[in-house]
Amino acid sequence: MSTSQSMTMPKINIPTYKREKSRVVRLIILTLILAATYWSMSGVEFSVPNLIKGLPFMWDFIRRMYPPNWSILGSVFVQTVITIQLALAGTIIAAIISLPISFLAARNICGDGWLVRTMTFLFNADRSIDALILALFFVSAVGLGPFPGVLALAIHSIGMLGKLFAEAIEGVDKGPIEALESVGASKLEIIRWAILPQAIPYFISYTLFRFELNIRVAIVLGVVGAGGIGFLLVQYMRLFQYQSVTIVVGVILVLVMGIDGLSTRLRRAVL
Amino acid sequence: MINIIEATNVTKRFPPKVTALQNVSIKIEPGEFIAIIGLSGAGKSTFLRTINGTLTPTEGKMRVLDKDLKAIPNKERIALRRKIGFIFQQFNLVKQISALDNVLTGRIGYNPHWRTLSGIYSQDDINLATYYLREVGLSDKIEQRVDQLSGGQQQRVAIARAVCQEPEILLADEPMASLDPKLSEIVLQLLQKFNRDRGITVLVNIHVLELARRYSRRIIAFKKGALVFDGPNDKLTNEEIENIYKIEDNDI
């Protein structure tokens, strides 16, 4: 110990410091991560050789996508409108249903009792069922087409919007509520004049955000038969018309990015 | 009605430990202008909130406008509140709507649900609300959103809302605490004006002693929930003031 210290420096006694996470713990964590990676990848038959073997086919696929078949652009637009309608209808229906029932899930309106807990549970349960699964359920109920898609989107969105709306209601400034109580206002009047003006910008923002997500979901729902641009994509794939697929994929990209950009701007404007 | 407010042995406890008001008895006549002084936490705000019934006394009796606040049903208590305006330290306005819409909420107690919920107020109510906005000097801010107004302007909107209730009692809880000295004077002058012109009974919590002495003839003082002074301004001696504002060692 003393060998490294120079003669001019006074001798100091440096105690050893034990780190909170020892090297052994670090090693165990690292091993666990590696084990989990191996376990999951072997389960899904992940194989690098197969991936390399597949590369020429991928290249072939991409090569056949060129040149794009511009002639189908018109019919793609028609289907794009259907996808937008699908997402819009689902979002609006969900917002209209969520709006009143979200008040039942807000602690500052309905207290901390069984009602709020039940509503929160229902919202969470609803969110955990994917729109795709709901769509399969509704297809068996009302048949193929956009209508079961709208139902699936709407029902699935209620869970998220209801929860977010309730949080917006819980987040309002309490001062105006007290002021309205002092005026002699009823609970409904307090909601109308103290809570809604504060919460509505958030309601709009969350609804726009849900619309963004629903555009993507609507495309996927099209793949399973709800119509729209997603349906067009599967059709061209099945017919091996890859030059048309190029156009569809391009339009999907523009659509998603366009809606995202527009919605972000609108949300910034209302908040 | 001789006394507009009559508190008899009012005690308010907030379990488990806090006693905000302790055996408070006071009589207030219509048309008085009363300043309430005392350290923060002395019970001033609690006292005002037991008057408009947002807080109920744990013990004792509170009679306001000839009604026993403890004995009347909830619906009647809510109806009584339209006769009692309240002005808050933090204004408590709805910032996302216009000054006019805020003042119109003062008319809620006088209107049926369909009007208040739809926001379709009668022309008379709109005229009244804009009249009071002009009275507080905001004739050019009527349609402006409240979050675009300054603090002093916001407090004047809040005053207009309170007087638009056409109250018999006006309670003000530290209405100048968020404002600078000059704006404080404007707020007190407005309260004084409505007290003189309309005969509205005004109770105002003030933590600035000098302002309390200048604007009110009768001063009451709270200390640790108890009423320790009640009398005309000129009877408030230096010893009394020292006692009211004395901070004891175990308070810190």
Side-chain angles (χ1 to χ4, degrees):
Chain A
M1 186 165 99
S2 57
T3 49
S4 64
Q5 278 179 352
S6 80
M7 294 302 286
T8 51
M9 292 278 276
K11 261 196 173 176
I12 48 167
N13 191 14
I14 300 167
T16 47
Y17 173 75
K18 224 174 142 87
R19 298 186 69 163
E20 274 175 23
K21 258 189 216 143
S22 71
R23 261 172 289 186
V24 181
V25 174
R26 276 156 206 274
L27 212 64
I28 291 170
I29 292 171
L30 193 66
T31 316
L32 281 176
I33 293 171
L34 285 173
T37 313
Y38 178 77
W39 177 72
S40 56
M41 284 177 128
S42 64
V44 298
E45 294 165 10
F46 189 88
S47 140
V48 179
N50 275 358
L51 187 66
I52 294 168
K53 257 186 262 171
L55 278 177
F57 296 103
M58 284 187 215
W59 173 244
D60 188 49
F61 188 98
I62 291 166
R63 215 167 41 92
R64 278 201 255 167
M65 285 176 78
Y66 186 83
N69 178 13
W70 291 103
S71 67
I72 61 153
L73 201 59
S75 66
V76 173
F77 276 139
V78 173
Q79 294 303 313
T80 307
V81 171
I82 291 176
T83 296
I84 292 172
Q85 285 171 325
L86 195 70
L88 199 60
T91 311
I92 291 173
I93 292 169
I96 290 171
I97 295 174
S98 309
L99 189 68
I101 59 178
S102 63
F103 282 88
L104 304 177
R107 264 162 251 275
N108 55 346
I109 305 288
C110 291
D112 211 354
W114 60 271
L115 182 63
V116 167
R117 258 172 277 158
T118 310
M119 289 310 296
T120 313
F121 172 77
L122 286 178
F123 286 151
N124 285 339
D126 178 53
R127 272 187 312 155
S128 64
I129 307 169
D130 197 84
L132 212 56
I133 296 163
L134 286 170
L136 293 175
F137 170 76
F138 284 119
V139 163
S140 66
V142 299
L144 276 171
F147 184 49
V150 170
L151 289 177
L153 267 178
I155 300 294
H156 176 66
S157 305
I158 285 172
M160 183 182 123
L161 285 183
K163 189 176 152 66
L164 288 175
F165 285 2
E167 276 169 16
I169 294 164
E170 285 176 357
V172 300
D173 179 14
K174 283 161 197 66
I177 297 173
E178 201 196 350
L180 270 276
E181 275 172 3
S182 303
V183 159
S186 70
K187 199 135 205 169
L188 268 178
E189 285 153 348
I190 289 171
I191 289 172
R192 167 68 180 82
W193 289 105
I195 293 172
L196 278 185
Q198 295 187 64
I200 278 175
Y202 292 94
F203 290 170
I204 294 171
S205 170
Y206 292 143
T207 306
L208 283 168
F209 179 54
R210 188 62 240 185
F211 176 62
E212 269 177 59
L213 298 177
N214 279 352
I215 284 281
R216 283 163 234 228
V217 181
I219 294 167
V220 178
L221 286 180
V223 174
V224 298
I229 197 167
F231 185 60
L232 214 54
L233 183 71
V234 207
Q235 269 191 321
Y236 289 130
M237 291 280 267
R238 285 199 186 127
L239 298 168
F240 307 112
Q241 295 183 5
Y242 297 125
Q243 294 170 351
S244 301
V245 168
T246 313
I247 296 296
V248 178
V249 170
V251 169
I252 288 176
L253 270 176
V254 172
L255 173 68
V256 170
M257 284 162 66
I259 294 286
D260 279 13
L262 190 73
S263 155
T264 309
R265 251 185 230 186
L266 279 173
R267 274 158 55 204
R268 227 175 268 157
V270 291
L271 282 188
Chain B
M1 180 170 60
I2 305 161
N3 298 317
I4 197 164
I5 297 165
E6 192 175 330
T8 320
N9 303 324
V10 167
T11 295
K12 177 67 187 175
R13 287 195 198 90
F14 294 104
K17 273 171 106 176
V18 182
T19 303
L21 289 177
Q22 207 153 29
N23 208 18
V24 174
S25 296
I26 189 170
K27 289 173 180 166
I28 294 163
E29 285 173 28
E32 287 197 76
F33 190 111
I34 296 177
I36 305 169
I37 59 170
L39 291 167
S40 53
K44 306 192 296 288
S45 297
T46 309
F47 181 61
L48 291 189
R49 281 171 174 78
T50 55
I51 292 173
N52 83 342
T54 41
L55 292 176
T56 345
T58 320
E59 285 157 31
K61 207 168 158 189
M62 182 63 93
R63 275 189 85 80
V64 178
L65 293 161
D66 264 351
K67 293 241 162 65
D68 183 354
L69 280 183
K70 242 177 162 177
I72 59 173
N74 205 30
K75 213 168 176 175
E76 236 180 286
R77 191 175 319 140
I78 288 171
L80 186 72
R81 275 187 207 146
R82 77 172 186 206
K83 291 273 149 217
I84 308 169
F86 207 109
I87 297 163
F88 302 84
Q89 177 176 346
Q90 299 299 333
F91 324 139
N92 289 1
L93 297 168
V94 185
K95 296 209 168 63
Q96 292 81 358
I97 59 178
S98 71
L100 177 60
D101 274 326
N102 267 287
V103 177
L104 278 168
T105 61
R107 301 304 299 168
I108 278 178
Y110 294 92
N111 276 297
H113 278 320
W114 74 266
R115 271 199 190 280
T116 57
L117 294 177
S118 64
I120 304 169
Y121 288 94
S122 70
Q123 192 58 47
D124 287 345
D125 280 348
I126 292 166
N127 293 345
L128 197 68
T130 45
Y131 168 76
Y132 282 117
L133 275 169
R134 288 197 191 94
E135 285 271 288
V136 298
L138 293 174
S139 51
D140 55 338
K141 307 283 184 212
I142 290 168
E143 303 278 3
Q144 286 232 15
R145 257 173 73 129
V146 164
D147 53 10
Q148 292 170 352
L149 302 180
S150 70
Q153 290 166 340
Q154 289 190 20
Q155 189 59 299
R156 280 184 278 159
V157 174
I159 292 171
R161 174 175 66 187
V163 290
C164 197
Q165 271 174 256
E166 300 191 309
E168 294 183 33
I169 302 168
L170 203 48
L171 309 171
D173 189 14
E174 305 265 3
M176 321 72 68
S178 317
L179 304 172
D180 65 44
K182 200 180 160 215
L183 291 169
S184 303
E185 298 268 349
I186 293 173
V187 167
L188 280 168
Q189 279 160 16
L190 281 170
L191 294 180
Q192 198 174 45
K193 177 178 136 91
F194 289 119
N195 170 254
R196 279 182 187 156
D197 298 357
R198 308 285 154 79
I200 301 172
T201 311
V202 175
L203 276 82
V204 55
N205 285 349
I206 306 182
H207 68 275
V208 182
L209 180 66
E210 185 256 329
L211 287 173
R213 303 200 84 152
R214 273 226 322 270
Y215 282 90
S216 60
R217 280 147 286 161
R218 185 177 174 189
I219 292 179
I220 65 176
F222 282 99
K223 191 181 181 187
K224 292 183 174 175
L227 195 65
V228 292
F229 178 84
D230 177 5
N233 185 4
D234 46 32
K235 289 268 167 62
L236 188 63
T237 60
N238 282 337
E239 286 115 71
E240 229 121 24
I241 292 164
E242 203 167 305
N243 174 41
I244 292 162
Y245 285 97
K246 192 165 77 183
I247 298 173
E248 272 139 49
D249 287 346
N250 56 5
D251 290 343
I252 301 168

Tab-separated table of all heavy atoms in Angstrom, chain B residues 198-227:
chain	number	residue	atom	x	y	z
B	198	ARG	N	-74.893	50.323	-1.414
B	198	ARG	CA	-75.927	49.290	-1.411
B	198	ARG	C	-76.283	48.814	-0.015
B	198	ARG	O	-77.190	48.007	0.143
B	198	ARG	CB	-75.485	48.056	-2.207
B	198	ARG	CG	-74.995	48.327	-3.565
B	198	ARG	CD	-76.167	48.650	-4.489
B	198	ARG	NE	-75.672	49.483	-5.565
B	198	ARG	CZ	-75.019	49.020	-6.611
B	198	ARG	NH1	-74.827	47.747	-6.735
B	198	ARG	NH2	-74.572	49.834	-7.531
B	199	GLY	N	-75.518	49.247	0.963
B	199	GLY	CA	-75.760	48.761	2.316
B	199	GLY	C	-75.424	47.298	2.514
B	199	GLY	O	-75.940	46.632	3.410
B	200	ILE	N	-74.555	46.773	1.653
B	200	ILE	CA	-74.143	45.379	1.807
B	200	ILE	C	-73.234	45.266	3.035
B	200	ILE	O	-72.319	46.063	3.219
B	200	ILE	CB	-73.373	44.892	0.555
B	200	ILE	CG1	-74.252	45.024	-0.694
B	200	ILE	CG2	-72.897	43.460	0.726
B	200	ILE	CD1	-73.523	44.749	-1.993
B	201	THR	N	-73.520	44.283	3.881
B	201	THR	CA	-72.660	44.013	5.028
B	201	THR	C	-71.362	43.384	4.525
B	201	THR	O	-71.399	42.397	3.797
B	201	THR	CB	-73.356	43.037	5.991
B	201	THR	OG1	-74.680	43.507	6.222
B	201	THR	CG2	-72.608	42.929	7.298
B	202	VAL	N	-70.230	43.971	4.902
B	202	VAL	CA	-68.952	43.461	4.397
B	202	VAL	C	-68.094	42.964	5.553
B	202	VAL	O	-67.925	43.648	6.558
B	202	VAL	CB	-68.191	44.556	3.614
B	202	VAL	CG1	-66.815	44.056	3.195
B	202	VAL	CG2	-68.980	44.994	2.390
B	203	LEU	N	-67.585	41.745	5.408
B	203	LEU	CA	-66.581	41.227	6.339
B	203	LEU	C	-65.339	40.901	5.533
B	203	LEU	O	-65.402	40.122	4.582
B	203	LEU	CB	-67.074	39.950	7.029
B	203	LEU	CG	-67.957	40.100	8.264
B	203	LEU	CD1	-69.392	40.343	7.836
B	203	LEU	CD2	-67.847	38.872	9.135
B	204	VAL	N	-64.217	41.521	5.904
B	204	VAL	CA	-63.021	41.306	5.102
B	204	VAL	C	-61.838	40.904	5.986
B	204	VAL	O	-61.542	41.563	6.986
B	204	VAL	CB	-62.721	42.545	4.219
B	204	VAL	CG1	-62.623	43.815	5.036
B	204	VAL	CG2	-61.487	42.347	3.376
B	205	ASN	N	-61.208	39.801	5.616
B	205	ASN	CA	-59.989	39.375	6.311
B	205	ASN	C	-58.821	40.174	5.769
B	205	ASN	O	-58.593	40.199	4.559
B	205	ASN	CB	-59.699	37.895	6.035
B	205	ASN	CG	-60.623	36.987	6.802
B	205	ASN	OD1	-61.330	37.441	7.686
B	205	ASN	ND2	-60.599	35.716	6.475
B	206	ILE	N	-58.100	40.839	6.654
B	206	ILE	CA	-56.955	41.634	6.211
B	206	ILE	C	-55.770	41.281	7.101
B	206	ILE	O	-55.890	41.270	8.314
B	206	ILE	CB	-57.244	43.155	6.366
B	206	ILE	CG1	-58.530	43.534	5.653
B	206	ILE	CG2	-56.081	43.966	5.844
B	206	ILE	CD1	-58.853	45.010	5.714
B	207	HIS	N	-54.638	40.984	6.483
B	207	HIS	CA	-53.486	40.749	7.348
B	207	HIS	C	-52.636	42.006	7.505
B	207	HIS	O	-51.749	42.049	8.335
B	207	HIS	CB	-52.669	39.537	6.883
B	207	HIS	CG	-51.979	39.759	5.584
B	207	HIS	ND1	-52.600	39.550	4.383
B	207	HIS	CD2	-50.732	40.189	5.298
B	207	HIS	CE1	-51.768	39.841	3.410
B	207	HIS	NE2	-50.629	40.237	3.935
B	208	VAL	N	-52.940	43.040	6.716
B	208	VAL	CA	-52.222	44.312	6.878
B	208	VAL	C	-53.022	45.206	7.823
B	208	VAL	O	-54.101	45.701	7.490
B	208	VAL	CB	-52.024	45.015	5.516
B	208	VAL	CG1	-51.230	46.298	5.695
B	208	VAL	CG2	-51.325	44.099	4.530
B	209	LEU	N	-52.484	45.401	9.015
B	209	LEU	CA	-53.201	46.116	10.070
B	209	LEU	C	-53.573	47.539	9.661
B	209	LEU	O	-54.686	48.007	9.901
B	209	LEU	CB	-52.315	46.132	11.322
B	209	LEU	CG	-52.909	46.832	12.542
B	209	LEU	CD1	-54.115	46.075	13.039
B	209	LEU	CD2	-51.858	46.960	13.627
B	210	GLU	N	-52.620	48.199	8.999
B	210	GLU	CA	-52.808	49.604	8.647
B	210	GLU	C	-54.030	49.771	7.740
B	210	GLU	O	-54.811	50.704	7.909
B	210	GLU	CB	-51.519	50.093	7.970
B	210	GLU	CG	-51.468	51.556	7.633
B	210	GLU	CD	-51.683	51.814	6.155
B	210	GLU	OE1	-51.295	50.936	5.359
B	210	GLU	OE2	-52.261	52.857	5.814
B	211	LEU	N	-54.203	48.829	6.790
B	211	LEU	CA	-55.362	48.895	5.894
B	211	LEU	C	-56.652	48.653	6.662
B	211	LEU	O	-57.667	49.314	6.433
B	211	LEU	CB	-55.223	47.859	4.770
B	211	LEU	CG	-54.192	48.159	3.681
B	211	LEU	CD1	-54.054	46.979	2.739
B	211	LEU	CD2	-54.587	49.408	2.898
B	212	ALA	N	-56.610	47.714	7.587
B	212	ALA	CA	-57.788	47.411	8.393
B	212	ALA	C	-58.246	48.658	9.150
B	212	ALA	O	-59.430	48.992	9.178
B	212	ALA	CB	-57.484	46.281	9.370
B	213	ARG	N	-57.288	49.369	9.727
B	213	ARG	CA	-57.628	50.554	10.529
B	213	ARG	C	-58.187	51.662	9.660
B	213	ARG	O	-59.068	52.416	10.076
B	213	ARG	CB	-56.384	51.065	11.258
B	213	ARG	CG	-55.734	50.025	12.137
B	213	ARG	CD	-54.850	50.668	13.157
B	213	ARG	NE	-55.649	51.087	14.310
B	213	ARG	CZ	-55.155	51.168	15.546
B	213	ARG	NH1	-53.896	50.887	15.793
B	213	ARG	NH2	-55.928	51.547	16.529
B	214	ARG	N	-57.664	51.777	8.442
B	214	ARG	CA	-58.103	52.886	7.584
B	214	ARG	C	-59.503	52.677	7.026
B	214	ARG	O	-60.232	53.636	6.819
B	214	ARG	CB	-57.120	53.051	6.422
B	214	ARG	CG	-55.956	53.942	6.753
B	214	ARG	CD	-55.634	54.968	5.675
B	214	ARG	NE	-55.780	54.483	4.322
B	214	ARG	CZ	-54.806	53.910	3.629
B	214	ARG	NH1	-53.621	53.742	4.179
B	214	ARG	NH2	-55.003	53.513	2.406
B	215	TYR	N	-59.876	51.432	6.769
B	215	TYR	CA	-61.122	51.221	6.029
B	215	TYR	C	-62.323	50.814	6.877
B	215	TYR	O	-63.440	50.875	6.403
B	215	TYR	CB	-60.903	50.190	4.913
B	215	TYR	CG	-60.210	50.794	3.715
B	215	TYR	CD1	-58.831	50.789	3.614
B	215	TYR	CD2	-60.947	51.417	2.714
B	215	TYR	CE1	-58.191	51.372	2.542
B	215	TYR	CE2	-60.316	51.995	1.633
B	215	TYR	CZ	-58.934	51.972	1.545
B	215	TYR	OH	-58.312	52.562	0.472
B	216	SER	N	-62.106	50.381	8.115
B	216	SER	CA	-63.285	49.920	8.848
B	216	SER	C	-63.382	50.566	10.226
B	216	SER	O	-62.374	50.855	10.871
B	216	SER	CB	-63.260	48.400	8.984
B	216	SER	OG	-62.111	48.017	9.690
B	217	ARG	N	-64.633	50.773	10.627
B	217	ARG	CA	-64.851	51.339	11.954
B	217	ARG	C	-64.757	50.251	13.005
B	217	ARG	O	-64.248	50.445	14.075
B	217	ARG	CB	-66.239	52.007	12.022
B	217	ARG	CG	-66.286	53.391	11.418
B	217	ARG	CD	-67.623	53.674	10.783
B	217	ARG	NE	-67.764	52.953	9.514
B	217	ARG	CZ	-68.917	52.716	8.909
B	217	ARG	NH1	-70.047	53.107	9.453
B	217	ARG	NH2	-68.948	52.067	7.764
B	218	ARG	N	-65.273	49.054	12.656
B	218	ARG	CA	-65.242	47.963	13.627
B	218	ARG	C	-64.209	46.919	13.210
B	218	ARG	O	-64.177	46.501	12.060
B	218	ARG	CB	-66.625	47.325	13.707
B	218	ARG	CG	-66.748	46.244	14.768
B	218	ARG	CD	-68.173	45.728	14.806
B	218	ARG	NE	-68.332	44.591	15.694
B	218	ARG	CZ	-69.434	43.856	15.776
B	218	ARG	NH1	-70.471	44.150	15.007
B	218	ARG	NH2	-69.517	42.836	16.602
B	219	ILE	N	-63.409	46.538	14.177
B	219	ILE	CA	-62.368	45.541	13.910
B	219	ILE	C	-62.557	44.370	14.859
B	219	ILE	O	-62.851	44.562	16.045
B	219	ILE	CB	-60.966	46.164	14.097
B	219	ILE	CG1	-60.710	47.202	12.993
B	219	ILE	CG2	-59.874	45.089	14.072
B	219	ILE	CD1	-59.378	47.893	13.091
B	220	ILE	N	-62.441	43.160	14.313
B	220	ILE	CA	-62.415	42.003	15.207
B	220	ILE	C	-61.119	41.241	14.966
B	220	ILE	O	-60.568	41.271	13.867
B	220	ILE	CB	-63.657	41.085	15.047
B	220	ILE	CG1	-63.699	40.454	13.665
B	220	ILE	CG2	-64.935	41.832	15.337
B	220	ILE	CD1	-64.852	39.473	13.499
B	221	ALA	N	-60.615	40.608	16.030
B	221	ALA	CA	-59.320	39.939	15.914
B	221	ALA	C	-59.415	38.519	16.443
B	221	ALA	O	-60.048	38.259	17.462
B	221	ALA	CB	-58.261	40.719	16.693
B	222	PHE	N	-58.775	37.618	15.702
B	222	PHE	CA	-58.710	36.219	16.123
B	222	PHE	C	-57.288	35.879	16.528
B	222	PHE	O	-56.318	36.384	15.963
B	222	PHE	CB	-59.124	35.288	14.974
B	222	PHE	CG	-60.607	35.215	14.771
B	222	PHE	CD1	-61.226	35.963	13.782
B	222	PHE	CD2	-61.383	34.394	15.588
B	222	PHE	CE1	-62.594	35.884	13.597
B	222	PHE	CE2	-62.750	34.318	15.397
B	222	PHE	CZ	-63.365	35.071	14.399
B	223	LYS	N	-57.198	35.016	17.549
B	223	LYS	CA	-55.900	34.467	17.919
B	223	LYS	C	-56.114	33.023	18.324
B	223	LYS	O	-56.883	32.741	19.233
B	223	LYS	CB	-55.298	35.266	19.071
B	223	LYS	CG	-53.859	34.905	19.312
B	223	LYS	CD	-53.278	35.668	20.463
B	223	LYS	CE	-51.820	35.284	20.636
B	223	LYS	NZ	-51.243	35.876	21.830
B	224	LYS	N	-55.457	32.132	17.626
B	224	LYS	CA	-55.588	30.696	17.880
B	224	LYS	C	-57.051	30.265	17.969
B	224	LYS	O	-57.443	29.521	18.872
B	224	LYS	CB	-54.853	30.315	19.162
B	224	LYS	CG	-53.352	30.451	19.038
B	224	LYS	CD	-52.704	29.987	20.312
B	224	LYS	CE	-51.191	29.963	20.158
B	224	LYS	NZ	-50.547	29.628	21.425
B	225	GLY	N	-57.867	30.782	17.089
B	225	GLY	CA	-59.261	30.375	17.028
B	225	GLY	C	-60.197	31.117	17.948
B	225	GLY	O	-61.407	30.973	17.864
B	226	ALA	N	-59.645	31.917	18.852
B	226	ALA	CA	-60.516	32.645	19.794
B	226	ALA	C	-60.647	34.097	19.371
B	226	ALA	O	-59.725	34.675	18.802
B	226	ALA	CB	-59.946	32.558	21.193
B	227	LEU	N	-61.806	34.671	19.652
B	227	LEU	CA	-62.039	36.085	19.370
B	227	LEU	C	-61.408	36.886	20.505
B	227	LEU	O	-61.849	36.817	21.650
B	227	LEU	CB	-63.550	36.338	19.316
B	227	LEU	CG	-64.029	37.638	18.694
B	227	LEU	CD1	-63.687	37.677	17.224
B	227	LEU	CD2	-65.528	37.773	18.880
